Amino acid sequence: MEWQPDEQGLQQVLQLLKDSQSPNTATQRAVQQKLEQLNQFPDFNNYLIFVLTRLKTEDEPTRSLSGLILKNNVKAHYQNFPAAVADFIKQECLNNIGDPSPLIRATIGILITTISSKGELQTWPELLPQLCNLLNSEDYNTCEGSFGALQKICEDSSELLDSDALNRPLNIMIPKFLQFFKHCSPKIRSHAIACVNQFIIGRAQALMDNIDTFIESLFALAADEDSEVRKNVCRALVMLLEVRIDRLIPHMHSIIQYMLQRTQDPDENVSLEACEFWLTLAEQPICKEVLSGHLVQLIPILVNGMKYSEIDIILLKGDVEEDEAVPDSEQDIKPRFHKSRTVTLQHEGGEGEEGEDIDEDDDDDDDTLSDWNLRKCSAAALDVLANVFRDELLPHLLPLLKGLLFHPDWVIKESGILVLGAIAEGCMQGMVPYLPELIPHLIQCLCDKKALVRSIACWTLSRYAHWVVSQPPDSHLKPLMTELLKRILDGNKRVQEAACSAFATLEEEACTELVPYLSFILDTLVFAFGKYQHKNLLILYDAIGTLADSVGHHLNQPEYIQKLMPPLIAKWNELKDEDKDLFPLLECLSSVATALQSGFLPYCEPVYQRCVTLVQKTLAQAMMYNQHPDQYEAPDKDFMIVALDLLSGLAEGLGGSVEQLVARSNIMTLLFQCMQDPMPEVRQSSFALLGDLTKACFPHVKPCIGEPSAAEFMPILGLNLNPEFISVCNNATWAIGEIAMQMGSDMQPYVGLVLNNLVEIINRPNTPKTLLENTAITIGRLGYVCPQEVAPMLQQFIRPWCTSLRNIRDNEEKDSAFRGICMMIGVNPGGVVQDFIFFCDAVASWVSPKDDLRDMFYKILHGFKDQVGEENWQQFSEQFPPLLKERLSACYGV
């Protein structure tokens, strides 16, 4: 006997559904309580499905709402539904998937998907066959409803559908979907393509078996009059380009012609999907070959897509020029991610290189419209194509650019400035001849009356900062800096943001070139403090921190400290320990402390104490959470990571002066816990701090290193020499080297804990450069303090050791590492014989070694030469590249 509702119960449920559509909060609360009561009755869910599928006289929003409440119940406790209730719901869904109302069909489709994602695809074996059968229905609504449900299931369970668990239903489903590509209804055609599209990236076998039919069917729909169908065709071709380019190559010419048309589609949803094609194609090795002949058509289309649409301008309030007094709404502020400290070395020719895992964050300018749109996609495509074609792009671009950059309509002029920024990386060589006249024009655009022109000019100029800095400062650097500083104080928040970011880029490029202007720069940045709303303050901290990184100790002048520190400390005192705005402020102070060195002393005590408190609070909260996860929240460990990094900055900046602060705190105990934290970023920052404290005040570190104390630091360091976590491993390696230099021969008991891992890492293929360099330095330092222990393994690491250190600048770390190698060669000369040419090359990489180190090199080179005899040496040195030969004979007379 089929279930029937009780009339009174049904009225109660309907009343509840009506009430829940009321805007009144008190009513809403009552509804929530009533729902919880009703959920105690097992057949309450039968009432909900009954309203959705049977009460055709009720209004649609009420019926749909009933289905959505049921969906939430399924999500929360489907496993507790009695079997009879579950069966009734499933049967009702399948019987009513063809409801005449699109809203009700969609709601039933969502319900079916939610049930099937609860592991029910396995226990509802008739679902897929029945939905596929219903596709054949003469009734449009039934066909459309079933397709809607199938599309949702394909989206949610694509992997499961392609597995043995369900007996491979795709073998039937995919051929079936392909038949519907020719259906007379555009809605159905669109569903059919969307279903198949779910299986392209996963390379489902059933699709691969029908790939040619699929591609032919797509081509047949190329000119479809329905925009949703065209969008799905474009999306399919973009994915096939990644997964099965081999099947597209024979048709590539016509696909490109098609995509050129679609990138200009009047419907932006279509043009955006089509524009992705160029982004994906640029990553394929065949890009240059297949696209060269089409650039003449493609470039104008991409450039045209880079204009703001009317809707963008409305959303960006393009007509509002001054909004600096309007507070930011909190949801506009994107979460910031702190990048933990990684220890790197200085390289020849330029500043320390960044780690290998750099994230590109200079992509486009209008991130607040963070949704992807045609403008962004076109700009990104032009950027990647500029990197593929380099200067071959310019003949197609330059004629257009002139017209754009000087256009009277600001929207077009703005797009020209974006184009210029997008090609900066790829076409830099070819652009150089035009920059002497373009840069002054862009600097002029910084004063444009339109805020969106001023902000894009900031971004584009930052993309050419490298060139600007390479010219005499008076020609471009000074005018650019002067105007950018004015823009930092612009009345428009978007311009302030763009100018601050651009200025940070300029600082990185210009470094000490900025020293003569420091007073002027600081006045501006400090003035901005009083002017900025919340979001831009966070970017301002970054500009100040970058300034400190760029000019270093030149910042340590009383007049500069007097300008900069009071506003920073005022902010510092204003923020509570739980405020996330501390992150960028702590990062900024870390850079400032490192730059100011002794100049930071008056401020260090409160800053130090607070960092220790942040670490302590976070550890305590983590402990509570681990013991009672139901009662406490997990802590945000970023507070601890940023605090550890600022402590590192203090130790590095203050050196020995940090000693009394460490003595009066329990930082070593806390550090011992942080070094064992399950989160890699916490360990990474802990090892950086351990190394910095070792350099600054070793007496406080020494008791923790080994046997006598309870805290065993060395074994933990050894355990973290795991290259799976590159940055953790890198910082642990560096810390071991610093500890070795302080311990001297007392390091002997611990060499065995770490040496094998280090030798393994230095010989691993594809190890990032930074890690190789730090590993080589540490092996050298261990050999310096314990040559007897390390020298026997010389032969196993000498070759990668030499190649990884030849590009490092002369510095303390390189000095101690090379002394170590020389001492090890003294103990085990045979270990270097086979790779002696690499040693010679590494020695020649020194510009000016200290006298006693030069003597060590001299003795080893001459010793080797005497050992093998003049004739053999001649033969041996014939293999040297001419430059190496020259250097060795000039410096060491061999």
Side-chain angles (χ1 to χ4, degrees):
M1 178 60 193
E2 174 168 82
W3 180 86
Q4 286 297 331
D6 162 66
E7 194 47 46
Q8 201 186 346
L10 190 57
Q11 287 317 313
Q12 222 183 340
V13 170
L14 282 170
Q15 190 51 50
L16 181 73
L17 291 167
K18 296 273 187 280
D19 290 346
S20 71
Q21 295 171 54
S22 141
N24 179 332
T25 351
T27 317
Q28 287 289 345
R29 255 203 302 274
V31 168
Q32 275 316 74
Q33 279 173 320
K34 186 82 180 145
L35 269 176
E36 276 163 31
Q37 283 167 1
L38 290 172
N39 263 323
Q40 304 308 309
F41 298 100
D43 66 351
F44 171 51
N45 292 304
N46 282 0
Y47 282 89
L48 291 173
I49 189 78
F50 191 87
V51 173
L52 173 68
T53 57
R54 302 279 183 98
L55 286 193
K56 314 271 187 193
T57 51
E58 270 304 323
D59 63 294
E60 289 183 9
T62 302
R63 291 172 61 199
S64 174
L65 185 66
S66 183
L68 293 174
I69 292 174
L70 175 55
K71 176 205 79 160
N72 290 335
N73 285 348
V74 167
K75 252 201 164 114
H77 24 243
Y78 184 73
Q79 63 284 2
N80 305 332
F81 283 21
V85 172
D87 287 340
F88 181 63
I89 294 173
K90 289 172 173 178
Q91 173 202 327
E92 283 300 297
C93 283
L94 283 173
N95 290 346
N96 293 279
I97 191 77
D99 193 281
S101 148
L103 177 64
I104 302 301
R105 290 202 297 273
T107 309
I108 294 175
I110 290 172
L111 191 52
I112 289 178
T113 319
T114 311
I115 295 173
S116 71
S117 68
K118 278 285 175 195
E120 284 292 302
L121 271 176
Q122 279 99 321
T123 47
W124 191 359
E126 65 276 20
L127 173 64
L128 292 171
Q130 275 194 281
L131 285 176
C132 285
N133 264 341
L134 290 169
L135 296 180
N136 302 332
S137 164
E138 292 297 308
D139 173 45
Y140 168 79
N141 292 335
T142 304
C143 178
E144 198 280 324
S146 310
F147 242 134
L150 278 166
Q151 184 179 334
K152 294 187 185 83
I153 293 171
C154 291
E155 282 167 13
D156 287 355
S157 314
S158 62
E159 285 179 21
L160 183 60
L161 291 171
D162 188 30
S163 69
D164 286 329
L166 299 176
N167 213 345
R168 306 229 166 242
L170 289 186
N171 294 338
I172 297 160
M173 289 162 70
I174 288 204
K176 180 118 193 146
F177 295 154
L178 290 170
Q179 290 167 7
F180 282 87
F181 278 34
K182 302 187 177 65
H183 196 277
C184 59
S185 149
K187 187 96 207 254
I188 304 267
R189 293 198 297 273
S190 184
H191 277 311
I193 309 171
C195 284
V196 180
N197 281 357
Q198 297 307 319
F199 303 101
I200 300 176
I201 294 294
R203 300 169 189 261
Q205 194 50 53
L207 176 56
M208 293 303 134
D209 295 341
N210 289 285
I211 196 82
D212 291 328
T213 320
F214 176 42
I215 292 173
E216 280 161 33
S217 313
L218 286 173
F219 289 168
L221 293 176
D224 202 283
E225 76 282 358
D226 183 79
S227 63
E228 195 60 24
V229 172
R230 294 198 303 270
K231 184 185 92 175
N232 283 330
V233 169
C234 290
R235 181 172 290 172
L237 288 170
V238 171
M239 292 191 285
L240 286 167
L241 197 54
E242 274 183 61
V243 175
R244 289 305 305 262
I245 194 166
D246 57 313
R247 311 310 290 159
L248 296 186
I249 287 176
H251 316 283
M252 197 52 94
H253 180 77
S254 40
I255 293 175
I256 288 175
Q257 286 302 326
Y258 175 65
M259 286 298 188
L260 286 167
Q261 267 177 320
R262 288 289 71 83
T263 308
Q264 306 172 78
D265 199 282
D267 182 321
E268 172 157 342
N269 293 316
V270 180
S271 55
L272 179 56
E273 280 300 334
C275 194
E276 296 278 354
F277 181 81
W278 314 114
L279 263 180
T280 306
L281 183 58
E283 288 164 6
Q284 306 298 327
I286 61 157
C287 174
K288 221 170 168 168
E289 174 192 337
V290 297
L291 205 51
S292 291
H294 302 279
L295 289 179
V296 64
Q297 291 161 285
L298 173 61
I299 299 301
I301 294 173
L302 290 178
V303 167
N304 195 38
M306 286 163 75
K307 293 200 295 282
Y308 276 126
S309 67
E310 283 168 36
I311 218 107
D312 290 338
I313 294 171
I314 295 165
L315 288 174
L316 289 171
K317 306 190 176 62
D319 302 333
V320 179
E321 289 303 318
E322 289 227 357
D323 60 357
E324 63 175 345
V326 183
D328 296 325
S329 72
E330 285 310 304
Q331 67 263 33
D332 286 348
I333 297 174
K334 289 209 295 260
R336 281 182 86 273
F337 298 103
H338 170 72
K339 198 161 176 302
S340 313
R341 206 173 165 95
T342 310
V343 185
T344 54
L345 297 162
Q346 300 273 298
H347 287 70
E348 277 309 328
E351 288 311 303
E353 296 197 7
E354 301 271 355
E356 326 283 305
D357 46 1
I358 301 308
D359 23 274
E360 293 294 326
D361 56 359
D362 63 345
D363 247 359
D364 202 351
D365 53 312
D366 36 37
D367 285 330
T368 34
L369 268 194
S370 58
D371 41 346
W372 193 231
N373 55 24
L374 184 62
R375 166 188 166 88
K376 290 189 172 178
C377 190
S378 305
L382 189 60
D383 185 346
V384 289
L385 289 171
N387 277 299
V388 172
F389 285 96
R390 301 280 165 189
D391 298 343
E392 292 170 40
L393 220 55
L394 292 177
H396 307 289
L397 256 177
L398 290 171
L400 295 172
L401 259 176
K402 205 143 192 135
L404 299 171
L405 288 170
F406 297 94
H407 202 282
D409 177 350
W410 75 266
V411 178
I412 295 178
K413 174 167 153 182
E414 193 278 344
S415 72
I417 301 173
L418 173 59
V419 168
L420 201 51
I423 61 169
E425 199 187 333
C427 304
M428 184 59 90
Q429 286 316 111
M431 286 307 295
V432 166
Y434 306 98
L435 293 178
E437 58 183 300
L438 277 177
I439 297 295
H441 176 63
L442 287 171
I443 291 174
Q444 225 176 330
C445 294
L446 287 174
C447 318
D448 196 274
K449 60 181 194 303
K450 277 296 187 193
L452 289 170
V453 174
R454 300 199 297 277
S455 62
I456 195 67
C458 291
W459 178 73
T460 294
L461 279 160
S462 75
R463 302 267 289 175
Y464 290 97
H466 187 76
W467 181 84
V468 167
V469 170
S470 70
Q471 304 299 301
D474 283 351
S475 55
H476 303 291
L477 177 62
K478 206 169 164 185
L480 171 59
M481 192 180 56
T482 313
E483 281 311 314
L484 263 185
L485 289 170
K486 287 187 198 154
R487 289 295 70 80
I488 286 178
L489 303 179
D490 200 278
N492 180 281
K493 292 195 288 194
R494 169 180 300 281
V495 179
Q496 295 171 357
E497 177 185 359
C500 250
S501 302
F503 195 71
T505 306
L506 185 64
E507 290 169 338
E508 285 174 351
E509 290 290 349
C511 295
T512 49
E513 299 273 337
L514 296 179
V515 173
Y517 316 106
L518 264 174
S519 180
F520 179 40
I521 294 172
L522 286 169
D523 284 338
T524 305
L525 297 180
V526 168
F527 191 78
F529 251 107
K531 186 175 166 80
Y532 276 14
Q533 296 294 343
H534 185 179
K535 180 182 172 188
N536 286 350
L537 258 182
L538 307 183
I539 299 166
L540 182 62
Y541 293 142
D542 182 52
I544 292 173
T546 308
L547 180 67
D549 295 337
S550 303
V551 300
H553 64 90
H554 297 284
L555 199 56
N556 189 5
Q557 299 290 335
E559 65 153 324
Y560 301 153
I561 297 176
Q562 218 18 65
K563 287 178 201 251
L564 181 60
M565 289 308 295
L568 284 176
I569 294 297
K571 280 286 173 215
W572 169 264
N573 292 331
E574 195 180 297
L575 293 176
K576 297 194 176 49
D577 279 352
E578 342 5 280
D579 194 326
K580 290 213 159 90
D581 284 8
L582 272 175
F583 299 167
L585 179 55
L586 284 159
E587 286 176 28
C588 169
L589 279 170
S590 179
S591 297
V592 170
T594 310
L596 290 184
Q597 296 176 344
S598 60
F600 198 78
L601 273 174
Y603 308 96
C604 64
E605 182 131 15
V607 173
Y608 179 89
Q609 285 322 56
R610 185 169 195 179
C611 288
V612 173
T613 308
L614 285 170
V615 174
Q616 202 152 13
K617 275 188 176 174
T618 312
L619 285 172
Q621 203 184 333
M623 205 155 118
M624 311 263 266
Y625 171 73
N626 289 337
Q627 285 163 359
H628 310 284
D630 41 343
Q631 296 166 32
Y632 293 97
E633 282 201 4
D636 181 344
K637 290 194 176 168
D638 273 356
F639 284 102
M640 172 156 79
I641 296 168
V642 182
L644 290 166
D645 286 346
L646 176 45
L647 288 169
S648 280
L650 289 175
E652 197 182 331
L654 301 172
S657 317
V658 83
E659 205 261 344
Q660 68 267 39
L661 295 171
V662 174
R664 292 201 299 273
S665 71
N666 60 340
I667 186 65
M668 293 311 293
T669 319
L670 298 174
L671 195 50
F672 183 63
Q673 284 174 271
C674 293
M675 285 166 54
Q676 298 173 79
D677 196 275
M679 186 174 175
E681 290 78 6
V682 175
R683 301 201 303 278
Q684 172 183 342
S685 293
S686 312
F687 296 135
L689 177 55
L690 178 63
D692 282 316
L693 289 175
T694 299
K695 285 171 84 164
C697 53
F698 188 63
H700 294 283
V701 177
K702 185 163 185 184
C704 309
I705 294 299
E707 311 305 336
S709 85
E712 288 275 8
F713 274 51
M714 280 319 280
I716 299 173
L717 283 163
L719 282 176
N720 278 281
L721 296 177
N722 167 8
E724 240 179 286
F725 300 105
I726 296 287
S727 302
V728 179
C729 180
N730 180 66
N731 290 2
T733 302
W734 174 74
I736 292 167
E738 289 297 339
I739 290 170
M741 292 308 287
Q742 298 287 343
M743 294 274 284
S745 55
D746 292 350
M747 191 70 182
Q748 195 246 322
Y750 311 111
V751 172
L753 284 173
V754 297
L755 184 60
N756 286 334
N757 287 357
L758 293 169
V759 172
E760 195 178 321
I761 291 167
I762 204 169
N763 283 295
R764 271 188 62 187
N766 304 329
T767 303
K769 204 162 59 183
T770 306
L771 179 55
L772 281 179
E773 291 161 0
N774 273 315
T775 306
I777 295 280
T778 294
I779 292 175
R781 291 179 147 189
L782 288 169
Y784 179 64
V785 296
C786 303
Q788 297 295 338
E789 280 65 31
V790 186
M793 296 189 73
L794 196 51
Q795 197 176 343
Q796 292 173 47
F797 61 74
I798 185 72
R799 186 183 226 169
W801 191 95
C802 291
T803 45
S804 58
L805 290 185
R806 61 188 303 273
N807 297 321
I808 300 293
R809 284 198 198 167
D810 296 6
N811 64 17
E812 280 304 306
E813 294 176 322
K814 185 170 173 177
D815 179 273
S816 52
F818 271 84
R819 288 171 191 274
I821 274 291
C822 292
M823 291 172 71
M824 290 188 274
I825 292 174
V827 174
N828 175 17
V832 75
V833 169
Q834 288 179 320
D835 299 302
F836 199 69
I837 185 165
F838 291 92
F839 176 72
C840 296
D841 179 56
V843 166
S845 77
W846 277 87
V847 183
S848 46
K850 294 187 182 150
D851 291 343
D852 57 339
L853 182 59
R854 181 191 294 271
D855 288 342
M856 292 166 109
F857 293 157
Y858 184 91
K859 287 201 178 86
I860 293 173
L861 292 170
H862 279 272
F864 186 83
K865 185 177 171 179
D866 298 343
Q867 189 87 41
V868 298
E870 187 65 44
E871 196 175 327
N872 286 337
W873 176 262
Q874 280 310 317
Q875 274 182 315
F876 174 67
S877 59
E878 282 307 304
Q879 312 161 34
F880 290 1
L883 198 67
L884 174 59
K885 231 182 184 159
E886 236 167 84
R887 279 193 93 153
L888 288 179
S889 81
C891 302
Y892 301 98
V894 290

